[in-house]
Amino acid sequence: MDQQLRSVPKLLLGGGLDVFLAAMLAVLSLALGLQVSQPWALALDIAMCVAAGCTVRWPKIAGVALGLLLVGYFLVPTGSVSLGQYATLIPILGTGMRNLRLARRWMTACYGLILVALQYQDYPGSARFLLGGVVWAALIAVLWLIGNAFAAFRHAQSEAQAAALVQQRLSLARDLHDTVARDLSRAALRAQVTQQSLDPSEMNAVVGEIQAALAQLRLLMNLLRDPQPETPGQADEAGSPGDVLREAAKALEAIRFSVALTIEGDPDTIPPELWPTIKVVVGEATSNIERHASKSGPCALILSIDHHSVDMVFINDTVAPGGTRTGSGDSAMGLLGVRERLTPIGGELNTLQEDKRWMTRARIPLGAQQSSKS
């Protein structure tokens, strides 16, 4: 339905309305002309309608032709029944809707003067001449207002689309930034382990993490350069929440964390549109565990799914009690990014620290997702 609504302004801007109005006016002119048997006036009316419809494609040439044809009504006998003069209103409306200001101005001035002169020819020295001029002026003024309103609507729509695109790019850039930060943090921790163990396999893992971070940086730079990115970003390539949590547990165990993994409920029942957000939550929480948790204490990753919500809880012991966490600025930025992703879908993120125990809890309601799909 939204796509159909968006296609309506495009149809109007493409000249569909102008052609439709010109065709309808031509049909009315033909019906009226056949009744009153005025072939020359009928031929002029049809030519006016054709010229009005052509102003969509050739505004200058067809617009001038329309003006010349309008002058031809001076040769039509006084009292002839004619609708062709109303064809001049069609390009005035169309150019206004397409924001062709210069074309609309000269059309209004030229057509308006000729229409007033035709009124004077029909009613010389009569009050009906003034009344006719006022009526034409009122009609043209109304069409100006309609054209301005439509052009303003299109401008606002374009700005909204541009703002949405910028927001999308910022969101993707933020996700890539968080991914790079996690990869580099993991590489640094693996480097520390490798320095102590001198294990070649650990060195290969460090190199892999650094290469992944570099790839994400290149993707981030391409994203910021391209005003209309075609790459949706890594966050859209999320797997099943259960698999994401298991991979996170394995990554922590690889750097010698003692991990307790608990999954309650069926992760496959989580709507796929939530998977990228869950991947971001898990990635940021486990990254904080890598940076700040004490390896001497256990850590727990808990995923709980029911009919109402998805709950993720991450528990670990910190290196130092209280608020003395090294690198807390990076963690704050990462958690802020997680909150920004959870808020639009009704989710929430809470953190709690008691002595050395740190807990991060994220909750995503499922009721809003199900209602939005229905």
Side-chain angles (χ1 to χ4, degrees):
M1 183 64 180
D2 293 340
Q3 184 65 31
Q4 293 176 353
L5 291 176
R6 284 193 294 266
S7 65
V8 172
K10 294 180 179 179
L11 177 63
L12 298 180
L13 286 176
L17 179 62
D18 303 53
V19 175
F20 173 77
L21 293 177
M24 289 298 97
L25 184 59
V27 171
L28 292 176
S29 299
L30 183 61
L32 182 62
L34 293 176
Q35 289 181 0
V36 297
S37 300
Q38 295 176 344
W40 291 109
L42 175 59
L44 189 56
D45 287 352
I46 298 300
M48 288 283 290
C49 294
V50 172
C54 291
T55 54
V56 174
R57 182 65 178 85
W58 304 283
K60 292 183 179 180
I61 298 175
V64 172
L66 186 63
L68 295 176
L69 290 171
L70 184 60
V71 174
Y73 283 97
F74 285 106
L75 305 178
V76 175
T78 303
S80 299
V81 180
S82 174
L83 296 177
Q85 297 179 21
Y86 292 98
T88 56
L89 301 177
I90 296 174
I92 292 177
L93 173 63
T95 52
M97 295 175 63
R98 290 185 289 276
N99 204 25
L100 302 176
R101 299 180 180 179
L102 182 59
R104 183 174 64 168
R105 287 171 185 169
W106 71 257
M107 286 181 180
T108 299
C110 295
Y111 301 161
L113 289 176
I114 299 174
L115 289 171
V116 170
L118 288 172
Q119 290 295 311
Y120 183 78
Q121 182 191 41
D122 292 338
Y123 311 105
S126 173
R128 298 181 66 180
F129 153 68
L130 296 177
L131 180 60
V134 170
V135 170
W136 280 115
L139 288 174
I140 293 175
V142 170
L143 296 180
W144 269 64
L145 291 176
I146 295 174
N148 289 343
F150 189 86
F153 168 75
R154 287 294 300 167
H155 180 69
Q157 190 178 52
S158 298
E159 288 188 343
Q161 291 175 350
L165 179 60
V166 170
Q167 185 61 37
Q168 179 188 31
R169 292 176 63 201
L170 290 176
S171 176
L172 294 176
R174 179 189 62 206
D175 295 343
L176 292 173
H177 167 270
D178 295 341
T179 303
V180 170
R182 289 195 295 269
D183 289 344
L184 292 178
S185 297
R186 189 175 292 111
L189 292 172
R190 287 184 179 273
Q192 294 177 2
V193 173
T194 302
Q195 186 178 16
Q196 297 172 1
S197 64
L198 299 178
D199 186 352
S201 62
E202 290 291 339
M203 179 58 68
N204 293 333
V206 172
V207 173
E209 296 288 351
I210 294 175
Q211 290 176 342
L214 291 175
Q216 293 297 328
L217 282 175
R218 286 192 292 269
L219 181 59
L220 176 59
M221 293 305 299
N222 291 332
L223 173 65
L224 295 178
R225 289 194 189 102
D226 188 359
Q228 294 184 340
E230 297 180 357
T231 304
Q234 183 175 349
D236 292 333
E237 301 172 0
S240 168
D243 295 337
V244 169
L245 208 65
R246 295 185 189 95
E247 292 175 1
K250 291 180 181 179
L252 290 173
E253 291 172 346
I255 51 178
R256 300 182 181 180
F257 277 96
S258 176
V259 182
L261 174 63
T262 302
I263 298 179
E264 299 177 353
D266 186 3
D268 293 334
T269 61
I270 301 175
E273 58 265 25
L274 293 179
W275 292 6
T277 302
I278 293 175
K279 181 177 181 180
V280 171
V281 174
V282 173
E284 183 59 33
T286 54
S287 178
N288 287 339
I289 292 176
E290 292 177 3
R291 288 196 295 260
H292 308 300
S294 172
K295 294 184 179 179
S296 60
C299 61
L301 311 182
I302 303 171
L303 174 64
S304 177
I305 307 104
D306 57 28
H307 296 294
H308 305 289
S309 64
V310 177
D311 287 273
M312 292 165 282
V313 180
F314 307 86
I315 305 173
N316 63 272
D317 289 342
T318 59
V319 176
T324 57
R325 294 182 62 177
T326 305
S328 58
D330 295 337
S331 300
M333 289 297 295
L335 294 177
L336 176 61
V338 172
R339 284 193 176 95
E340 290 176 349
R341 291 189 65 106
L342 291 175
T343 299
I345 58 176
E348 58 183 15
L349 179 72
N350 297 299
T351 58
L352 175 66
Q353 184 168 9
E354 295 180 356
D355 194 20
K356 288 187 177 183
R357 180 64 51 86
W358 179 269
M359 182 180 70
T360 301
R361 178 177 180 270
R363 180 180 181 274
I364 303 176
L366 293 179
Q369 296 294 324
Q370 294 172 355
S371 62
S372 64
K373 289 193 297 182
S374 62

